[in-house]
Structure formats: structure tokens, C-alpha cells
Amino acid sequence: MIVRVLTLFPEMFKNTLGTSILQRAREKALLDIECINIRDYTDNKHKKVDDYPYGGGAGMVMTPQPIFDSYKAVINSLGSAINPKTIYMSPKGKPFNQQAAEALAKEDCLIFICGHYEGIDQRAIDYLVTDEISIGDYVLTGGEIPAMVVIDAVARLIPGVLSQEESYQEESFYSGLLEYPHYTRPRDFRGMEVPEVLTSGDHKKIDNWRRRKSLEITFKKRPDLLKNTKLTAKEVKIIQELKDSL
Ligand code: SAH
């Protein structure tokens, strides 16, 4: 997957994109990421990238010229065979979730535009952007952290990025439920013991325990998720029991 990030602060991405699983994905050429500094494309000699909002009000707005020109440079460098999605990170965007990450992971190329200050001139959104995405109902200082969140969530779903052992199929949200709890060595840590079933070697029992825990945790912490999850008759019964025990 090709990822291009238009930002005023490319240095913010260095560590995140150059560490751990994302770095490995880049080394395996599964991910080709580049950050482009919007400021490099300003056509004024002071390299100014923002201005006062028309109509007044607080804060500064990122001007359209360097955004349009840096975007054009990226498009030209990609060539005509590539049909990217252009994402503007914005609190006004569609709330991001695992389903959205799965859909984006199927794309060949994503271009992110990161706003800063009050955001970017609306014309850049109207003419360049295909998707506006929010990472939650709160306002951050810039789109850089949100873009990193989306890149991270999407990149780990690209086939080959996670190893077999790191597989995401059992993780929270994949099946619609939150994940079961994890334990590792030692078996007895200062008197706190690992649930016995996990050391029984009986895989059927372990699977049942994990699914039950998943149901319990989801019921307790995120009951809203249960509405969109396919459950077996036995699982529906478990949920009913949990409700009755309240
Ligand atoms: N004035 C805007 C907020 C600007 S915050 C408003 O009220 O809607 C500055 C930049 O940070 C935005 O342009 C956007 O790129 C980014 N940003 C802030 N919060 C975000 C969020 N929850 N999700 C995605 N991007 C966000």
C-alpha cells in the first residue's frame, strides 16, 4: 500500500512510522510511506501557510495554495495508474472504527491531509478530499496524531504485515466482541494465579472459556456492540443469564 501524508510537521511521524510493526512492514515493502511538508510548496517568500479567517473569529486557517500544490506534486509522482483515496482528518469527519480500517486496508493508495490551527480552507476539502475521518468526539491540535492512528490501524490489516502469531482475527471488534483476557508466565505471580482452564491443554475448553469471557466483557463494558454481533443460540442464552444476574 502506498501512503502519502501532507503535513506541516513531518518530523512528528518519524518515530511512529519507523518503529516496530510499521517499520517491519516498510522493510518488507508492504507499506510505502512518505511524508510531504506542505510548507515546501508555498509560493510566498515567507513560507506562510496560514491566514486569518474570512468573516473573523479566533485562530488561523491553512491557506489552499500550498495544499493544492503539494497535493498535485504527490498525484504527479504517483502516476495515472493509481487512484488514491484522499482523507482529511477532521473532528467533523465520519467516526473511525475497525470496519472503516478494514475497508481502507483494501485500497492501494491513501493520501492523508493533516490540518492544523483552525483547520484547512474549505475549498481544499471540497476539491481534493474523498473521505473526512474523525478519530473521536474531541478536538486535537492537528491531524498528525489522527493520521498516525488511522495508518497504524489500517497497516496492521494488510496481508503479511502481522505474523501468524500476531493475527488480528481474534482481537477486539473483529468478531464484533471485545477480546478475552490474556495471561502469560509465571503461572503463579505473587499468589495471583492464572485461570486453571488455560493451563489444562484442552483446546476446546479454552476456546469456550475465551468466548464466554469475550461475551461477559462486552456485556459489561460495551453492551452496544452486542446488537451488531451474530451470536449462537447458546451465546444468546449466556447473555440472558448475564442480564438476569444483574
Ligand atoms: N476548528 C476545527 C478544529 C480544528 S483542530 C473544528 O472545530 O472542527 C485542527 C486540526 O486537527 C483539524 O484540521 C484536523 O485535521 C485535526 N483534528 C482535530 N481533532 C481531530 C479529530 N477528532 N479527528 C481527526 N482530526 C482531528
Side-chain angles (χ1 to χ4, degrees), residues 88-92 113-120 133-144 146:
Y88 175 51
M89 300 310 306
S90 163
K92 291 179 266 188
I113 302 179
C114 305
H116 229 87
Y117 318 115
E118 281 309 314
I120 68 176
I133 298 180
S134 163
I135 62 157
D137 291 347
Y138 39 81
V139 178
L140 297 155
T141 54
E144 285 74 16

Side-chain angles (χ1 to χ4, degrees), residues 7-213:
T7 168
L8 291 175
F9 302 97
E11 66 278 8
M12 283 181 74
F13 289 82
K14 275 211 182 92
N15 280 341
T16 310
L17 303 181
T19 314
S20 181
I21 294 171
L22 289 186
Q23 172 61 12
R24 216 173 58 202
R26 295 173 83 184
E27 282 163 6
K28 287 204 250 172
L30 296 168
L31 255 190
D32 163 5
I33 309 187
E34 263 176 48
C35 296
I36 292 93
N37 194 337
I38 296 172
R39 198 181 294 278
D40 292 344
Y41 289 85
T42 47
D43 61 8
N44 64 81
K45 69 170 187 284
H46 298 294
K47 300 238 170 256
K48 205 167 143 50
V49 289
D50 57 352
D51 215 326
Y52 295 101
Y54 275 121
M60 299 294 270
V61 177
M62 284 171 65
T63 55
Q65 177 273 319
I67 299 175
F68 271 78
D69 289 349
S70 55
Y71 182 80
K72 195 170 164 215
V74 166
I75 292 291
N76 289 344
S77 74
L78 291 172
S80 55
I82 303 227
N83 182 24
K85 265 200 183 307
T86 303
I87 298 165
Y88 175 51
M89 300 310 306
S90 163
K92 291 179 266 188
K94 194 168 174 216
F96 188 61
N97 61 16
Q98 191 65 19
Q99 266 175 325
E102 281 164 27
L104 290 179
K106 296 195 176 90
E107 297 290 328
D108 298 328
C109 178
L110 305 177
I111 300 177
F112 289 87
I113 302 179
C114 305
H116 229 87
Y117 318 115
E118 281 309 314
I120 68 176
D121 189 288
Q122 184 63 34
R123 287 164 292 187
I125 302 173
D126 294 343
Y127 286 92
L128 308 179
V129 169
T130 56
D131 299 61
E132 272 185 86
I133 298 180
S134 163
I135 62 157
D137 291 347
Y138 39 81
V139 178
L140 297 155
T141 54
E144 285 74 16
I145 293 171
M148 285 188 252
V149 167
V150 173
I151 293 169
D152 189 280
V154 170
R156 65 201 296 285
L157 300 178
I158 297 170
V161 168
L162 292 186
S163 62
Q164 193 72 23
E165 301 85 66
E166 294 163 336
S167 144
Y168 54 82
Q169 263 89 353
E170 290 200 2
E171 282 183 326
S172 297
F173 306 114
Y174 186 82
S175 68
L177 300 179
L178 300 179
E179 200 190 35
Y180 50 79
H182 292 289
Y183 296 88
T184 186
R185 270 180 257 258
R187 190 175 183 148
D188 180 333
F189 175 67
R190 300 178 186 173
M192 296 174 269
E193 296 211 10
V194 168
E196 219 176 296
V197 56
L198 296 178
T199 55
S200 68
D202 183 336
H203 290 288
K204 190 148 196 296
K205 256 193 186 163
I206 293 173
D207 286 347
N208 286 339
W209 181 86
R210 286 182 163 164
R211 185 74 184 170
R212 192 182 170 103
K213 280 288 168 197

